[in-house]
Amino acid sequence: MNLQQARHSARAFLMAARRSFEHRPVGIGRTEMLLVPGVVCAAFSVELSLKAIVIAAGGTPARGRNGHDLVTLFGQVRTEVQDTIISALGISRSAFEPLLEGVTDAFEKWRYIYEQTGDIDITQHFLYNLAEATHQAMAQASGI
């Protein structure tokens, strides 16, 4: 995996998530937000940022099915960087872990949301803030 390309793509998907989550006026008293694209882009940005952090530290990020799993990827990141990300979110590790578990497969689930049966839930604000925090950590870890 190319570190520079991972960094650039992580940033681009974060920008796409930001724009998707904007509330745009569509009439008097009405706004719209692009939830599904926002979730997919935010989750993919987290994935790519974590992979870039692992690569910058000399590791090889998970691939295949585990390559999209945010819990797996986060586990590959050095503890100090994990602590930096969690601290940026302003929560404890014990509060962080179940929230991360709740979004771990967001990229896969939400890009195929039309195939899901039953209710599907997401902690959108956590996922977005995680994308921002992992992007900041990636920038520090890879010197951008």
Side-chain angles (χ1 to χ4, degrees), residues 61-85:
R63 298 183 69 105
R65 183 109 173 115
N66 286 336
H68 296 302
D69 187 286
L70 300 184
V71 169
T72 299
L73 291 168
F74 191 78
Q76 291 189 285
V77 172
R78 289 189 338 259
T79 303
E80 310 84 60
V81 179
Q82 290 180 3
D83 292 342
T84 298
I85 292 167

Side-chain angles (χ1 to χ4, degrees), residues 39-51 62 65-77 82 85 96-97 99-108 122 126-128 130-131 134:
V39 168
V40 171
C41 289
F44 199 43
S45 178
V46 172
E47 175 184 328
L48 293 172
S49 292
L50 292 173
K51 286 179 176 182
R65 183 109 173 115
N66 286 336
H68 296 302
D69 187 286
L70 300 184
V71 169
T72 299
L73 291 168
F74 191 78
Q76 291 189 285
V77 172
Q82 290 180 3
I85 292 167
F96 172 81
E97 289 173 351
L99 291 169
L100 181 62
E101 184 66 41
V103 299
T104 193
D105 59 355
F107 178 71
E108 289 184 301
I122 191 80
F126 170 76
L127 179 60
Y128 176 76
L130 180 62
T134 56

Side-chain angles (χ1 to χ4, degrees), residues 19-60:
R19 292 177 185 164
S20 294
F21 286 143
E22 289 176 358
H23 289 267
R24 298 267 175 122
V26 293
I28 298 173
R30 294 182 45 216
T31 61
E32 70 180 7
M33 178 188 69
L34 306 174
L35 179 63
V36 173
V39 168
V40 171
C41 289
F44 199 43
S45 178
V46 172
E47 175 184 328
L48 293 172
S49 292
L50 292 173
K51 286 179 176 182
I53 292 167
V54 171
I55 293 167
T60 302

Side-chain angles (χ1 to χ4, degrees), residues 14 49 53 84-85 88 130-142 144:
L14 177 59
S49 292
I53 292 167
T84 298
I85 292 167
L130 180 62
E132 292 283 356
T134 56
H135 186 267
Q136 289 173 357
M138 176 194 66
Q140 291 171 352
S142 59
I144 59 170

